[in-house]
Amino acid sequence: MKRKLFSAVLGVFAMLLLMGAAAVPEQPATALLAEEESAALSEAELETRAQSLDVMLAQSVLAATGLDPLAVADAAGEASIPPAPVGDTALLVDGQPAPLNLGKRMVGSTTYVSLTAIAQLLDPAVQISWEGNTTIINTGGLSMTAKPGDLYVVANGRYLYVPEQVQLDGEGRLSLPLRTVAEAFGASVGYDNAAHVTTVTRGNNAIQHGDAFYNQEELFWLSRVIYRESGNQPMEGQMAVGNVILNRVADPAFPNSVEGVLAQKNQFTTYQSGVLAATNPSQSSIIAAKLVLDGGVVEETKGALFFDSGATSWAARNREHIATIGGHKFYG
């Protein structure tokens, strides 16, 4: 079978020569005559010599046409140069190079990809639609929306923080951090430092639904204190206040629950008065609470344990100022 395929390839090259590509140097007649008169050779030896003649002829044809002789099959009839891999070898999905249409690009230190392209790769049965400039993704277990300019995407009712915002790439496609999309689809992302290769491994289930993920008591108190303390601030300003509360919960010097932190003496007077419990939080404050409960951290205020809006507070006089967002200063 290999020799038939090989002969077909040689036939194509021969046609190129007849059309004026170049003249193929003739093989010495004595060499051919010697082959014909070797009746005493075994069948295996005859096959080997025939293959050798095929290779010699192919090399002559390729040399005449200007092609690389190394692309010709060797004496055993096997390709000597493997085909080049198709796809992005620096991004592997389940061990295979990712397609080149993902629109992969770096935004700072974050890898962004086209949402629609990666969604179709992770689940070929995905349904994609648009409502205005919002992209809607639906699979058997995932409902996801993303809008350019937002600091988050919504996946199964979960709010996933996107610090560099949901963006449009150079082709006008909605572009998101690879890790964010992978999290929504239940896939995992790794990085091989030695090989400089990013790996994506598909999971069995999409992200857990928000109704089961968020602790409703924590969400109740956190959304209300965010609204009371920073409801008129930008989204990241509201998130930073939520981060301070959760940082205290995680710090052994403070109570280990959201309500416990709010109930501390001389800290949040609205809790003591009952005003906080009676508050109706805004939609943006609820979103900010969900973002921080889902692990969203405003990098500028990372680690902050105090915040205020003045210059004479105890924190302003005794703690290190970390950053200012909107009308609030944050301290470590």
Side-chain angles (χ1 to χ4, degrees):
M1 180 64 184
K2 292 178 179 178
R3 294 207 56 206
K4 288 182 180 180
L5 180 59
F6 197 86
S7 298
V9 173
L10 293 179
V12 173
F13 287 130
M15 290 178 65
L16 291 174
L17 293 178
L18 291 173
M19 294 171 66
V24 180
E26 295 183 358
Q27 296 296 317
T30 55
L32 296 176
L33 181 60
E35 288 297 324
E36 294 174 353
E37 292 179 350
S38 299
L41 296 176
S42 67
E43 182 178 348
E45 291 173 324
L46 285 172
E47 176 65 20
T48 298
R49 293 204 175 192
Q51 289 176 348
S52 298
L53 284 173
D54 285 344
V55 173
M56 290 170 61
L57 178 57
Q59 289 173 338
S60 298
V61 171
L62 289 169
T65 56
L67 298 176
D68 184 0
L70 292 178
V72 181
D74 60 18
E78 298 177 354
S80 58
I81 297 181
V86 178
D88 185 351
T89 56
L91 175 58
L92 305 182
V93 178
D94 287 343
Q96 299 300 314
L100 297 176
N101 70 340
L102 292 186
K104 188 180 77 172
R105 61 197 179 93
M106 298 303 296
V107 178
S109 60
T110 302
T111 300
Y112 269 64
V113 292
S114 161
L115 173 57
T116 55
I118 191 67
Q120 290 169 333
L121 178 61
L122 294 174
D123 186 351
V126 67
Q127 297 180 352
I128 303 172
S129 59
W130 290 266
E131 187 174 308
N133 61 348
T134 299
T135 300
I136 304 169
I137 302 292
N138 280 295
T139 70
L142 174 65
S143 177
M144 179 178 179
T145 60
K147 181 180 178 181
D150 279 353
L151 287 166
Y152 57 84
V153 299
V154 185
N156 282 351
R158 298 272 294 276
Y159 283 76
L160 308 180
Y161 182 40
V162 183
E164 301 296 334
Q165 297 187 343
V166 178
Q167 300 186 8
L168 296 176
D169 65 15
E171 298 181 17
R173 299 180 300 179
L174 200 75
S175 186
L176 287 175
L178 173 62
R179 288 183 181 275
T180 302
V181 183
E183 181 180 358
F185 274 82
S188 59
V189 179
Y191 185 73
D192 187 330
N193 288 295
H196 302 292
V197 172
T198 300
T199 59
V200 178
T201 304
R202 290 182 178 90
N204 296 321
N205 299 295
I207 191 171
Q208 182 183 21
H209 201 281
D211 291 342
F213 177 80
Y214 296 120
N215 180 299
Q216 294 304 308
E217 182 178 351
E218 290 182 340
L219 181 60
F220 177 91
W221 290 112
L222 196 58
S223 61
R224 283 159 174 76
V225 72
I226 288 174
Y227 176 70
R228 278 291 174 181
E229 299 290 342
S230 59
N232 62 346
Q233 299 299 303
M235 178 59 70
E236 288 185 318
Q238 295 184 57
M239 287 180 63
V241 167
N243 285 152
V244 167
I245 305 301
L246 294 186
N247 287 345
R248 290 189 179 189
V249 171
D251 192 307
F254 295 87
N256 62 359
S257 70
V258 172
E259 185 177 6
V261 166
L262 300 181
Q264 274 194 300
K265 186 178 179 180
N266 299 326
Q267 294 300 306
F268 297 92
T269 57
T270 53
Y271 177 86
Q272 301 291 346
S273 66
V275 171
L276 202 57
T279 296
N280 290 319
S282 65
Q283 183 63 25
S284 66
S285 296
I286 294 173
I287 290 173
K290 288 183 175 180
L291 284 167
V292 297
L293 287 171
D294 228 311
V297 175
V298 179
E299 187 66 24
E300 295 90 331
T301 61
K302 188 174 183 178
L305 291 170
F306 301 87
F307 67 90
D308 65 30
S309 57
T312 60
S313 69
W314 178 90
R317 290 181 282 108
N318 295 276
R319 307 293 294 200
E320 178 187 1
H321 175 251
I322 296 176
T324 299
I325 298 181
H328 284 105
K329 294 181 176 66
F330 293 86
Y331 307 88

